[in-house]
PDB file of all heavy atoms in Angstrom:
ATOM      1  N   THR A   1      32.189-115.165 -43.054  1.00  0.00           N
ATOM      2  CA  THR A   1      32.690-116.116 -42.100  1.00  0.00           C
ATOM      3  C   THR A   1      33.597-117.141 -42.770  1.00  0.00           C
ATOM      4  O   THR A   1      33.541-117.317 -43.925  1.00  0.00           O
ATOM      5  CB  THR A   1      31.574-116.916 -41.375  1.00  0.00           C
ATOM      6  OG1 THR A   1      30.898-117.755 -42.282  1.00  0.00           O
ATOM      7  CG2 THR A   1      30.517-115.929 -40.770  1.00  0.00           C
ATOM      8  N   CYS A   2      34.483-117.759 -41.899  1.00  0.00           N
ATOM      9  CA  CYS A   2      35.416-118.722 -42.466  1.00  0.00           C
ATOM     10  C   CYS A   2      35.086-120.125 -41.971  1.00  0.00           C
ATOM     11  O   CYS A   2      35.784-121.083 -42.367  1.00  0.00           O
ATOM     12  CB  CYS A   2      36.796-118.317 -42.146  1.00  0.00           C
ATOM     13  SG  CYS A   2      37.259-118.116 -40.407  1.00  0.00           S
ATOM     14  N   VAL A   3      34.111-120.323 -41.058  1.00  0.00           N
ATOM     15  CA  VAL A   3      33.843-121.661 -40.516  1.00  0.00           C
ATOM     16  C   VAL A   3      33.352-122.565 -41.627  1.00  0.00           C
ATOM     17  O   VAL A   3      32.526-122.193 -42.513  1.00  0.00           O
ATOM     18  CB  VAL A   3      32.801-121.540 -39.380  1.00  0.00           C
ATOM     19  CG1 VAL A   3      31.441-121.043 -39.903  1.00  0.00           C
ATOM     20  CG2 VAL A   3      32.576-122.909 -38.722  1.00  0.00           C
ATOM     21  N   GLY A   4      33.942-123.746 -41.696  1.00  0.00           N
ATOM     22  CA  GLY A   4      33.488-124.805 -42.607  1.00  0.00           C
ATOM     23  C   GLY A   4      33.758-124.495 -44.105  1.00  0.00           C
ATOM     24  O   GLY A   4      33.152-125.102 -44.936  1.00  0.00           O
ATOM     25  N   ALA A   5      34.710-123.596 -44.370  1.00  0.00           N
ATOM     26  CA  ALA A   5      34.994-123.264 -45.758  1.00  0.00           C
ATOM     27  C   ALA A   5      36.482-123.161 -45.974  1.00  0.00           C
ATOM     28  O   ALA A   5      37.264-122.756 -45.086  1.00  0.00           O
ATOM     29  CB  ALA A   5      34.349-121.934 -46.109  1.00  0.00           C
ATOM     30  N   SER A   6      36.907-123.490 -47.172  1.00  0.00           N
ATOM     31  CA  SER A   6      38.372-123.402 -47.511  1.00  0.00           C
ATOM     32  C   SER A   6      38.723-121.936 -47.819  1.00  0.00           C
ATOM     33  O   SER A   6      37.800-121.093 -48.040  1.00  0.00           O
ATOM     34  CB  SER A   6      38.655-124.220 -48.773  1.00  0.00           C
ATOM     35  OG  SER A   6      37.962-123.624 -49.930  1.00  0.00           O
ATOM     36  N   LYS A   7      39.953-121.599 -47.772  1.00  0.00           N
ATOM     37  CA  LYS A   7      40.402-120.260 -48.148  1.00  0.00           C
ATOM     38  C   LYS A   7      39.968-119.857 -49.553  1.00  0.00           C
ATOM     39  O   LYS A   7      39.572-118.723 -49.844  1.00  0.00           O
ATOM     40  CB  LYS A   7      41.951-120.171 -48.032  1.00  0.00           C
ATOM     41  CG  LYS A   7      42.466-120.166 -46.598  1.00  0.00           C
ATOM     42  CD  LYS A   7      43.969-120.000 -46.538  1.00  0.00           C
ATOM     43  CE  LYS A   7      44.499-120.005 -45.174  1.00  0.00           C
ATOM     44  NZ  LYS A   7      45.986-119.814 -45.110  1.00  0.00           N
ATOM     45  N   GLU A   8      40.033-120.866 -50.431  1.00  0.00           N
ATOM     46  CA  GLU A   8      39.613-120.561 -51.829  1.00  0.00           C
ATOM     47  C   GLU A   8      38.194-120.153 -51.897  1.00  0.00           C
ATOM     48  O   GLU A   8      37.871-119.196 -52.606  1.00  0.00           O
ATOM     49  CB  GLU A   8      39.863-121.835 -52.618  1.00  0.00           C
ATOM     50  CG  GLU A   8      39.516-121.654 -54.150  1.00  0.00           C
ATOM     51  CD  GLU A   8      39.746-122.902 -54.953  1.00  0.00           C
ATOM     52  OE1 GLU A   8      40.096-123.936 -54.393  1.00  0.00           O
ATOM     53  OE2 GLU A   8      39.556-122.852 -56.229  1.00  0.00           O
ATOM     54  N   ASP A   9      37.312-120.821 -51.153  1.00  0.00           N
ATOM     55  CA  ASP A   9      35.886-120.454 -51.197  1.00  0.00           C
ATOM     56  C   ASP A   9      35.708-119.103 -50.535  1.00  0.00           C
ATOM     57  O   ASP A   9      34.910-118.278 -51.062  1.00  0.00           O
ATOM     58  CB  ASP A   9      35.069-121.549 -50.486  1.00  0.00           C
ATOM     59  CG  ASP A   9      34.906-122.782 -51.268  1.00  0.00           C
ATOM     60  OD1 ASP A   9      35.138-122.791 -52.513  1.00  0.00           O
ATOM     61  OD2 ASP A   9      34.605-123.865 -50.648  1.00  0.00           O
ATOM     62  N   VAL A  10      36.280-118.854 -49.380  1.00  0.00           N
ATOM     63  CA  VAL A  10      36.148-117.561 -48.718  1.00  0.00           C
ATOM     64  C   VAL A  10      36.645-116.473 -49.570  1.00  0.00           C
ATOM     65  O   VAL A  10      35.975-115.416 -49.728  1.00  0.00           O
ATOM     66  CB  VAL A  10      36.858-117.579 -47.324  1.00  0.00           C
ATOM     67  CG1 VAL A  10      36.857-116.238 -46.699  1.00  0.00           C
ATOM     68  CG2 VAL A  10      36.177-118.615 -46.403  1.00  0.00           C
ATOM     69  N   ASN A  11      37.815-116.683 -50.175  1.00  0.00           N
ATOM     70  CA  ASN A  11      38.393-115.606 -51.023  1.00  0.00           C
ATOM     71  C   ASN A  11      37.545-115.284 -52.247  1.00  0.00           C
ATOM     72  O   ASN A  11      37.467-114.164 -52.696  1.00  0.00           O
ATOM     73  CB  ASN A  11      39.761-116.045 -51.467  1.00  0.00           C
ATOM     74  CG  ASN A  11      40.785-116.058 -50.295  1.00  0.00           C
ATOM     75  OD1 ASN A  11      40.491-115.707 -49.210  1.00  0.00           O
ATOM     76  ND2 ASN A  11      41.994-116.562 -50.606  1.00  0.00           N
ATOM     77  N   ALA A  12      36.835-116.350 -52.771  1.00  0.00           N
ATOM     78  CA  ALA A  12      36.018-116.180 -53.904  1.00  0.00           C
ATOM     79  C   ALA A  12      34.845-115.265 -53.521  1.00  0.00           C
ATOM     80  O   ALA A  12      34.356-114.374 -54.305  1.00  0.00           O
ATOM     81  CB  ALA A  12      35.522-117.499 -54.443  1.00  0.00           C
ATOM     82  N   VAL A  13      34.265-115.418 -52.330  1.00  0.00           N
ATOM     83  CA  VAL A  13      33.152-114.551 -51.871  1.00  0.00           C
ATOM     84  C   VAL A  13      33.648-113.149 -51.752  1.00  0.00           C
ATOM     85  O   VAL A  13      32.979-112.159 -52.122  1.00  0.00           O
ATOM     86  CB  VAL A  13      32.577-115.149 -50.568  1.00  0.00           C
ATOM     87  CG1 VAL A  13      31.539-114.132 -50.018  1.00  0.00           C
ATOM     88  CG2 VAL A  13      31.952-116.483 -50.762  1.00  0.00           C
ATOM     89  N   ALA A  14      34.776-113.003 -51.107  1.00  0.00           N
ATOM     90  CA  ALA A  14      35.388-111.646 -50.883  1.00  0.00           C
ATOM     91  C   ALA A  14      35.577-110.928 -52.200  1.00  0.00           C
ATOM     92  O   ALA A  14      35.283-109.755 -52.418  1.00  0.00           O
ATOM     93  CB  ALA A  14      36.687-111.714 -50.119  1.00  0.00           C
ATOM     94  N   GLN A  15      36.108-111.674 -53.221  1.00  0.00           N
ATOM     95  CA  GLN A  15      36.282-111.068 -54.533  1.00  0.00           C
ATOM     96  C   GLN A  15      34.959-110.672 -55.183  1.00  0.00           C
ATOM     97  O   GLN A  15      34.864-109.631 -55.863  1.00  0.00           O
ATOM     98  CB  GLN A  15      37.093-112.040 -55.434  1.00  0.00           C
ATOM     99  CG  GLN A  15      37.539-111.440 -56.739  1.00  0.00           C
ATOM    100  CD  GLN A  15      38.505-110.274 -56.574  1.00  0.00           C
ATOM    101  OE1 GLN A  15      39.533-110.477 -55.947  1.00  0.00           O
ATOM    102  NE2 GLN A  15      38.180-109.088 -57.111  1.00  0.00           N
ATOM    103  N   ALA A  16      33.954-111.557 -54.993  1.00  0.00           N
ATOM    104  CA  ALA A  16      32.683-111.232 -55.566  1.00  0.00           C
ATOM    105  C   ALA A  16      32.092-109.959 -54.885  1.00  0.00           C
ATOM    106  O   ALA A  16      31.472-109.121 -55.583  1.00  0.00           O
ATOM    107  CB  ALA A  16      31.716-112.353 -55.293  1.00  0.00           C
ATOM    108  N   TYR A  17      32.337-109.770 -53.595  1.00  0.00           N
ATOM    109  CA  TYR A  17      31.876-108.548 -52.916  1.00  0.00           C
ATOM    110  C   TYR A  17      32.582-107.360 -53.572  1.00  0.00           C
ATOM    111  O   TYR A  17      31.928-106.310 -53.922  1.00  0.00           O
ATOM    112  CB  TYR A  17      32.269-108.556 -51.393  1.00  0.00           C
ATOM    113  CG  TYR A  17      31.396-109.433 -50.563  1.00  0.00           C
ATOM    114  CD1 TYR A  17      31.727-109.636 -49.195  1.00  0.00           C
ATOM    115  CD2 TYR A  17      30.242-110.052 -51.028  1.00  0.00           C
ATOM    116  CE1 TYR A  17      30.946-110.423 -48.367  1.00  0.00           C
ATOM    117  CE2 TYR A  17      29.479-110.874 -50.154  1.00  0.00           C
ATOM    118  CZ  TYR A  17      29.836-110.996 -48.869  1.00  0.00           C
ATOM    119  OH  TYR A  17      29.070-111.779 -48.003  1.00  0.00           O
ATOM    120  N   TRP A  18      33.933-107.433 -53.714  1.00  0.00           N
ATOM    121  CA  TRP A  18      34.648-106.296 -54.252  1.00  0.00           C
ATOM    122  C   TRP A  18      34.163-105.971 -55.662  1.00  0.00           C
ATOM    123  O   TRP A  18      33.994-104.826 -56.017  1.00  0.00           O
ATOM    124  CB  TRP A  18      36.166-106.650 -54.271  1.00  0.00           C
ATOM    125  CG  TRP A  18      37.010-105.526 -54.692  1.00  0.00           C
ATOM    126  CD1 TRP A  18      37.480-105.259 -55.958  1.00  0.00           C
ATOM    127  CD2 TRP A  18      37.579-104.541 -53.861  1.00  0.00           C
ATOM    128  NE1 TRP A  18      38.227-104.119 -55.976  1.00  0.00           N
ATOM    129  CE2 TRP A  18      38.339-103.643 -54.725  1.00  0.00           C
ATOM    130  CE3 TRP A  18      37.519-104.303 -52.484  1.00  0.00           C
ATOM    131  CZ2 TRP A  18      39.011-102.556 -54.214  1.00  0.00           C
ATOM    132  CZ3 TRP A  18      38.271-103.197 -51.963  1.00  0.00           C
ATOM    133  CH2 TRP A  18      38.931-102.323 -52.825  1.00  0.00           C
ATOM    134  N   ASP A  19      33.961-107.006 -56.443  1.00  0.00           N
ATOM    135  CA  ASP A  19      33.511-106.798 -57.848  1.00  0.00           C
ATOM    136  C   ASP A  19      32.107-106.159 -57.931  1.00  0.00           C
ATOM    137  O   ASP A  19      31.759-105.518 -58.883  1.00  0.00           O
ATOM    138  CB  ASP A  19      33.522-108.145 -58.620  1.00  0.00           C
ATOM    139  CG  ASP A  19      34.869-108.657 -58.821  1.00  0.00           C
ATOM    140  OD1 ASP A  19      35.909-107.936 -58.668  1.00  0.00           O
ATOM    141  OD2 ASP A  19      35.045-109.845 -59.150  1.00  0.00           O
ATOM    142  N   ALA A  20      31.307-106.393 -56.866  1.00  0.00           N
ATOM    143  CA  ALA A  20      29.992-105.821 -56.796  1.00  0.00           C
ATOM    144  C   ALA A  20      29.932-104.426 -56.226  1.00  0.00           C
ATOM    145  O   ALA A  20      28.878-103.827 -56.055  1.00  0.00           O
ATOM    146  CB  ALA A  20      29.072-106.724 -55.983  1.00  0.00           C
ATOM    147  N   GLY A  21      31.118-103.906 -55.885  1.00  0.00           N
ATOM    148  CA  GLY A  21      31.203-102.550 -55.322  1.00  0.00           C
ATOM    149  C   GLY A  21      31.111-102.526 -53.842  1.00  0.00           C
ATOM    150  O   GLY A  21      30.954-101.433 -53.228  1.00  0.00           O
ATOM    151  N   VAL A  22      31.229-103.651 -53.149  1.00  0.00           N
ATOM    152  CA  VAL A  22      31.200-103.748 -51.715  1.00  0.00           C
ATOM    153  C   VAL A  22      32.635-103.819 -51.251  1.00  0.00           C
ATOM    154  O   VAL A  22      33.307-104.862 -51.335  1.00  0.00           O
ATOM    155  CB  VAL A  22      30.415-104.997 -51.225  1.00  0.00           C
ATOM    156  CG1 VAL A  22      30.430-105.066 -49.691  1.00  0.00           C
ATOM    157  CG2 VAL A  22      28.984-104.909 -51.781  1.00  0.00           C
ATOM    158  N   LYS A  23      33.166-102.688 -50.678  1.00  0.00           N
ATOM    159  CA  LYS A  23      34.556-102.547 -50.266  1.00  0.00           C
ATOM    160  C   LYS A  23      34.748-102.736 -48.783  1.00  0.00           C
ATOM    161  O   LYS A  23      35.920-102.474 -48.286  1.00  0.00           O
ATOM    162  CB  LYS A  23      35.080-101.193 -50.740  1.00  0.00           C
ATOM    163  CG  LYS A  23      34.697-100.846 -52.144  1.00  0.00           C
ATOM    164  CD  LYS A  23      35.233-101.767 -53.191  1.00  0.00           C
ATOM    165  CE  LYS A  23      34.995-101.233 -54.626  1.00  0.00           C
ATOM    166  NZ  LYS A  23      35.441-102.192 -55.664  1.00  0.00           N
ATOM    167  N   HIS A  24      33.797-103.138 -48.082  1.00  0.00           N
ATOM    168  CA  HIS A  24      33.828-103.306 -46.669  1.00  0.00           C
ATOM    169  C   HIS A  24      33.318-104.653 -46.252  1.00  0.00           C
ATOM    170  O   HIS A  24      32.246-105.072 -46.701  1.00  0.00           O
ATOM    171  CB  HIS A  24      32.935-102.167 -46.051  1.00  0.00           C
ATOM    172  CG  HIS A  24      32.911-102.149 -44.527  1.00  0.00           C
ATOM    173  ND1 HIS A  24      32.190-101.123 -43.854  1.00  0.00           N
ATOM    174  CD2 HIS A  24      33.397-102.940 -43.595  1.00  0.00           C
ATOM    175  CE1 HIS A  24      32.344-101.300 -42.518  1.00  0.00           C
ATOM    176  NE2 HIS A  24      33.041-102.458 -42.371  1.00  0.00           N
ATOM    177  N   ILE A  25      34.053-105.317 -45.380  1.00  0.00           N
ATOM    178  CA  ILE A  25      33.706-106.690 -44.959  1.00  0.00           C
ATOM    179  C   ILE A  25      33.606-106.737 -43.416  1.00  0.00           C
ATOM    180  O   ILE A  25      34.522-106.199 -42.761  1.00  0.00           O
ATOM    181  CB  ILE A  25      34.643-107.797 -45.431  1.00  0.00           C
ATOM    182  CG1 ILE A  25      34.457-108.004 -46.995  1.00  0.00           C
ATOM    183  CG2 ILE A  25      34.525-109.080 -44.708  1.00  0.00           C
ATOM    184  CD1 ILE A  25      35.392-109.061 -47.582  1.00  0.00           C
ATOM    185  N   VAL A  26      32.514-107.323 -42.890  1.00  0.00           N
ATOM    186  CA  VAL A  26      32.503-107.622 -41.462  1.00  0.00           C
ATOM    187  C   VAL A  26      33.022-109.046 -41.341  1.00  0.00           C
ATOM    188  O   VAL A  26      32.328-110.013 -41.673  1.00  0.00           O
ATOM    189  CB  VAL A  26      31.055-107.512 -40.895  1.00  0.00           C
ATOM    190  CG1 VAL A  26      31.025-107.876 -39.412  1.00  0.00           C
ATOM    191  CG2 VAL A  26      30.434-106.161 -41.196  1.00  0.00           C
TER     192      VAL A  26
END
């Protein structure tokens, strides 16, 4: 989700997903 978070924080989570082998985001 993006509520209450900066783009930097959201992007960091997305990158962590990708690095963990999670290539799909809801």
Side-chain angles (χ1 to χ4, degrees):
T1 67
C2 59
V3 63
S6 68
K7 289 184 180 180
E8 183 179 3
D9 287 342
V10 172
N11 293 352
V13 176
Q15 188 64 56
Y17 284 174
W18 185 269
D19 294 343
V22 178
K23 314 298 186 184
H24 181 173
I25 288 180
V26 180

